[in-house]
Amino acid sequence: MRQSKAEVYLHLVWATLGREPFLTIEIERPVYRCIENEAKRLNCEVLAINGMPDHVHMCVRLPTSLTIARLMNQVKGVSSHFVHGQLPDCMAFRWQEGYGVFSVGPNQVSSVLAYIGGQKHHHSENSLHDRWEETDEEYQPRVLSAYDPSVGCPP
């Protein structure tokens, strides 16, 4: 059987509700493993996962059979259920509703993996890539300047 070829890489970032520091050092690894296992179950190739107490970054190679929305719904839902079922001291744990997703070209994958792997360092040194830290709830669209007829076509 023939399969479609796809080389679609995504950098995903999502946060805890209210950016509360729920992902403590004690639960960080088990939660990341849960997220990784669910993404793999959906046939994603997980290239990196890491984060901070209030958010997670993940880089995946997305299969042709999966939408971004389904991936995020599943990893957030399964991991939230895991936290509530396996870690009873974390009943207040919740994810924010939205997420950020960034397409990554094959030549950019290594820099995204380095950024994700160095999350703790980037945050402690304030060497963040601001766009890669945003989720949709925090995104403020840039205002385009008013139409200038000398520049080109009207909006």
Side-chain angles (χ1 to χ4, degrees):
M1 178 168 107
R2 297 186 79 133
Q3 293 186 2
S4 300
K5 176 172 173 51
E7 200 167 348
V8 177
Y9 299 98
L10 300 175
H11 176 188
L12 303 136
V13 60
W14 65 100
T16 58
L17 186 62
R19 289 279 186 161
E20 289 293 322
F22 289 131
L23 295 170
T24 62
I25 197 76
E26 296 82 21
I27 71 165
E28 179 183 69
R29 285 288 122 208
V31 172
Y32 291 169
R33 272 194 307 275
C34 175
I35 291 167
E36 183 175 6
N37 289 339
E38 184 61 16
K40 286 179 178 179
R41 190 188 70 74
L42 295 168
N43 296 317
C44 285
E45 180 182 349
V46 178
L47 304 174
I49 186 167
N50 200 2
M52 295 298 292
D54 65 347
H55 69 281
V56 175
H57 290 260
M58 182 169 67
C59 184
V60 299
R61 182 174 175 176
L62 193 72
T64 59
S65 59
L66 184 63
T67 65
I68 298 166
R70 176 139 192 268
L71 169 63
M72 292 308 299
N73 184 60
Q74 286 297 118
V75 299
K76 289 167 71 177
V78 167
S79 60
S80 184
H81 183 75
F82 168 79
V83 169
H84 293 136
Q86 301 297 315
L87 307 167
D89 294 338
C90 303
M91 294 310 291
F93 178 89
R94 299 282 186 277
W95 294 118
Q96 281 185 353
E97 193 172 312
Y99 53 88
V101 60
F102 309 94
S103 59
V104 179
N107 296 336
Q108 301 167 313
V109 170
S110 61
S111 63
V112 170
L113 297 182
Y115 184 77
I116 292 173
Q119 272 295 288
K120 309 265 187 298
H121 173 77
H122 292 301
H123 281 271
S124 70
E125 298 293 318
N126 201 24
S127 59
L128 302 172
H129 186 302
D130 290 338
R131 292 284 288 166
W132 287 352
E133 295 293 328
E134 295 173 348
T135 65
D136 73 331
E137 287 136 350
E138 299 157 339
Y139 176 68
Q140 297 298 317
R142 291 175 179 82
V143 178
L144 300 176
S145 60
Y147 169 65
D148 180 349
S150 67
V151 174
C153 297

